[in-house]
Amino acid sequence: VNNAGLTLGERTLTEDGIEATFAVNHLAPFLLTELVRERLVASAPARVVTVASDAHRGSKIDFEDPSGERKFSSWSAYGQSKLANILFTSELARRLDRTDVTATCLHPGVVRTGFGRQGPAVVRAFLKVPGGFVLTPERRADSAIWLAASSGVGGASGGCYAQRRLPEP
């Protein structure tokens, strides 16, 4: 299960010069998956589950300015990284077709963790709003565990799930 989520209040670069949100949220899971892909195929059946986000909705990948050098928005950077997760999952599923390895992704919902503590003020405030939509990690992990381990989803590949359902991304 690739589960990485970061949002920062300002544009930050990694030591490799890559915008940090994209590096953590997308490139790290991408690299890890690529490093173990041959082993997954050799030891199939296997599954790759990547945590994405509904923040992909309305997002686009800015191929002209992927690191936000000219214009940076922390929310846009987050949405772009999670859209990249979904596109990666779709392409990985295509490439793994005819193997016994599946690739899926999911939107876990808003999770009560340290996520967003370094994000912009609006994200920090949103995460403090009382109510039932910010749930514990145990509750929000349900779909990821289901996709990773349930016999009911064996063979399903390429989809992006939310609460064990397959909405249109």
Side-chain angles (χ1 to χ4, degrees):
V1 176
N2 292 316
N3 183 11
L6 171 73
T7 183
L8 298 171
E10 60 186 45
R11 183 173 178 267
T12 305
L13 300 179
T14 66
E15 62 185 50
D16 297 318
I18 300 168
E19 192 278 315
T21 306
F22 194 75
V24 169
N25 294 356
H26 177 64
L27 294 180
F30 172 87
L31 177 60
L32 175 62
T33 302
E34 287 303 303
L35 291 173
V36 300
R37 185 163 58 147
E38 286 183 24
R39 173 84 40 111
L40 290 171
V41 171
S43 61
R47 299 178 190 183
V48 176
V49 178
T50 301
V51 177
S53 171
D54 268 355
H56 82 278
R57 295 184 184 277
S59 295
K60 65 177 185 165
I61 297 178
D62 187 347
F63 291 103
E64 301 298 317
D65 188 23
S67 286
E69 289 181 60
R70 293 189 295 272
K71 180 180 175 188
F72 182 79
S73 156
S74 60
W75 189 247
S76 293
Y78 182 76
Q80 174 177 259
S81 71
K82 293 304 182 172
L83 176 57
N85 290 154
I86 293 170
L87 296 172
F88 166 65
T89 297
S90 178
E91 179 60 18
L92 182 63
R94 188 188 70 76
R95 291 181 184 209
L96 292 171
D97 192 34
R98 300 192 196 330
T99 71
D100 200 9
V101 180
T102 61
T104 55
C105 61
L106 71 128
H107 165 64
V110 183
V111 186
R112 190 174 314 283
T113 64
F115 175 81
R117 69 179 170 261
Q118 295 174 307
V122 68
V123 171
R124 291 192 313 267
F126 175 77
L127 293 172
K128 291 180 183 177
V129 171
F133 71 94
V134 180
L135 299 179
T136 64
E138 294 80 9
R139 294 265 315 271
R140 291 298 190 190
D142 178 71
S143 289
I145 294 167
W146 176 71
L147 286 169
S150 173
S151 61
V153 292
S157 197
C160 186
Y161 293 78
Q163 299 176 9
R164 295 190 181 195
R165 293 186 328 259
L166 186 59
E168 188 67 30

